[in-house]
Amino acid sequence: MARTVIVVIDGFGIGAMPDAGVQRPGDLAADTCGHVLDHARTALGRPLRLPVLGALGLGLVHPHPDLDRRTRLPVAAGRAALGYPGADTFAGHQTMMGADFSRVSVARLADHLDEVADALTAAGHRTERLEGRPLLLVDKTVLVHDNLEADPGINWNASGSLEDLPFDGDTGILAIARAVRAVAPVARVIAVGGHADGPLPGFVRPGEGGTVGLDTPATGFYRNGKLRVQHLGAPLDHTRQLPALAAGAGIPVTLVGKAADILVCEAAARRPAVATSDVLDHTLEAVRADGDALVVANVQETDLAGHQQDATRYARLLEQVDAGLAGLVALLSAPGDRLIVTGDHGNDPTIGHAHHTREYVPVLIHRPGEDGIELLPDADTLADVGATAARSLGLAPEQLATGTPLHTGRRTPALRP
């Protein structure tokens, strides 16, 4: 029986990558893990209690006074660079599952306006620049614009009011987004339809880095209900990603939390959830099933706490995750079982803005049946996590689009508390 569980703590970085300051120079000081640990001592009046993350080797890859650097567990621990442009959940998960994001770029819509307008015209739509600004008004109703909620240049949106036109159909919001997707170099084009408090052009504002877009929260879309959203990712060969590879080998695949929304695998059981307690419960349930298993779970609420710049909430969520990991460590005890705990980017809740931070992420691997502690070299890409998981399941990592299994062969004697 081979069981591999990947738990992605969304927005859990362990220190800025060298290029973290390209977008915002202050992000070179980003350290989601360290800053949350420091904040907890003041906010909670005590050190953060993360015994399982410590036992999995977090303190080995991110030394901190409040993290144990000794463990009885047979672990391999290291850190990974992101391996994709920017800092984005969608791109992070796709890369982690083995996708090649080398052709995806960070780009403002302003730099591709003519190309996008030509594609929309060829698809039968009418386009115009809204009051001369670098965004497009399509068919007098839909705005094609930079996404202002992610880092500049990561995603573009096609946004429309459902009072004006349908979300689906040949002339709907989604059709317009698909025409944009055909020529967009960015990771995601997001189709958004909702009920606004007024005409959408009135909610357009400038963003960071020369971007211009719709202030979606201000429109009332999120507040007024019946929101329709569909994420159109960059073209990828999903058959060369870990979930499809596992399913093709007859291994049951379960996608939990946000992973259920953004990963593609027709054969997978999907357990969407936002609440951390639900994500952990679904993950434990999937592991308790008999037989082989690949489970990919995303803990989203940590990322939300980062966006909210709420370090106290982030700290409490980490303790909740740690408690859930204890149950997974207990269940994944047979030789060949693997628990991999990692992140998809950083989201430092103390950094002073609500965007993701470009940070290294931990790669913590519980590996029953192995001896001692393995210290891993830095991985160049999250794709190496997927390749490592493929190998643990007895699959051929070279069948993924990219990624190399992590191992060094170097072990240190087990450290005893």
Side-chain angles (χ1 to χ4, degrees):
M1 183 170 67
R3 299 179 297 176
T4 293
V5 179
I6 301 174
V7 175
V8 182
I9 305 176
D10 205 314
F12 190 50
I14 57 172
M17 290 176 54
D19 60 356
V22 171
Q23 193 71 58
R24 289 173 294 270
D27 283 9
L28 282 171
D31 180 359
T32 301
C33 177
H35 291 158
V36 169
L37 287 167
D38 293 342
H39 173 85
R41 276 187 170 267
T42 301
L44 305 180
R46 58 171 174 80
L48 206 57
R49 300 186 182 109
L50 303 177
V52 181
L53 283 167
L56 290 171
L58 182 59
L60 298 176
V61 298
H62 187 290
H64 189 280
D66 295 340
L67 291 173
D68 199 344
R69 299 190 66 183
R70 300 176 179 229
T71 180
R72 294 179 179 272
L73 296 179
V75 299
R79 65 177 189 170
L82 301 185
Y84 64 88
D88 178 64
T89 296
F90 177 84
H93 282 70
Q94 302 301 332
T95 300
M96 191 183 301
M97 294 299 107
D100 182 359
F101 259 65
S102 61
R103 288 172 291 181
V104 173
S105 63
V106 176
R108 300 178 307 161
L109 179 61
D111 298 327
H112 296 268
L113 270 180
D114 291 343
E115 184 181 5
V116 173
D118 289 346
L120 288 164
T121 299
H125 300 285
R126 302 185 308 277
T127 67
E128 59 187 288
R129 290 182 61 169
L130 183 67
E131 300 172 353
R133 288 179 284 184
L135 71 166
L136 296 173
L137 182 63
V138 184
D139 298 337
K140 302 290 185 182
T141 54
V142 173
L143 288 175
V144 175
H145 59 92
D146 293 306
N147 181 303
L148 302 185
E149 295 174 81
D151 273 337
I154 296 291
N155 305 319
W156 299 347
N157 283 22
S159 303
S161 292
L162 296 176
E163 292 90 350
D164 297 331
L165 79 170
F167 188 78
D168 301 301
D170 294 339
T171 60
I173 298 166
L174 184 56
I176 292 170
R178 284 176 172 149
V180 176
R181 172 72 276 172
V183 296
V186 295
R188 275 186 288 179
V189 173
I190 307 173
V192 183
H195 297 280
D197 294 336
L200 294 187
F203 299 101
V204 170
R205 65 169 176 83
E208 294 183 6
T211 57
V212 177
L214 188 69
D215 187 340
T216 305
T219 64
F221 275 5
Y222 298 148
R223 183 176 61 254
N224 294 334
K226 297 185 179 179
L227 181 70
R228 295 289 306 277
V229 178
Q230 187 160 332
H231 297 260
L232 305 178
L236 301 171
D237 184 355
H238 296 293
T239 66
R240 298 188 66 191
Q241 288 186 285
L242 180 62
L245 193 63
I251 298 172
V253 177
T254 304
L255 305 176
V256 181
K258 198 170 184 178
D261 299 327
I262 59 179
L263 295 179
V264 174
C265 180
E266 290 186 5
R270 296 182 183 275
R271 303 289 184 265
V274 175
T276 299
S277 58
D278 292 339
V279 171
L280 295 171
D281 286 347
H282 289 317
T283 304
L284 288 164
E285 180 183 1
V287 174
R288 290 189 183 105
D290 293 333
D292 299 341
L294 169 64
V295 182
V296 183
N298 172 279
V299 178
Q300 184 181 0
E301 285 192 301
T302 45
D303 188 53
L304 298 178
H307 286 306
Q308 295 160 350
Q309 292 287 276
D310 189 340
T312 300
R313 183 187 179 207
Y314 201 123
R316 294 191 184 281
L317 287 165
L318 279 182
E319 289 190 328
Q320 185 178 2
V321 171
D322 196 87
L325 291 175
L328 290 172
V329 168
L331 286 172
L332 296 166
S333 58
D337 284 347
R338 292 293 183 269
L339 170 62
I340 303 175
V341 180
T342 187
D344 51 352
H345 51 73
N347 199 341
D348 189 331
T350 71
I351 202 69
H353 61 72
H355 295 298
H356 294 160
T357 43
R358 188 165 167 82
E359 298 180 53
Y360 292 100
V361 297
V363 181
L364 313 176
I365 307 173
H366 174 48
R367 40 186 204 144
E370 300 290 337
D371 295 324
I373 299 167
E374 185 174 1
L375 301 178
L376 301 170
D378 285 351
D380 293 331
T381 170
L382 282 170
D384 293 353
V385 175
T388 303
R391 185 180 61 186
S392 73
L393 289 165
L395 305 172
E398 60 270 18
Q399 292 185 23
L400 301 172
T402 187
T404 302
L406 292 165
H407 66 89
T408 65
R410 300 196 311 270
R411 288 173 172 79
T412 63
L415 299 175
R416 303 293 182 179

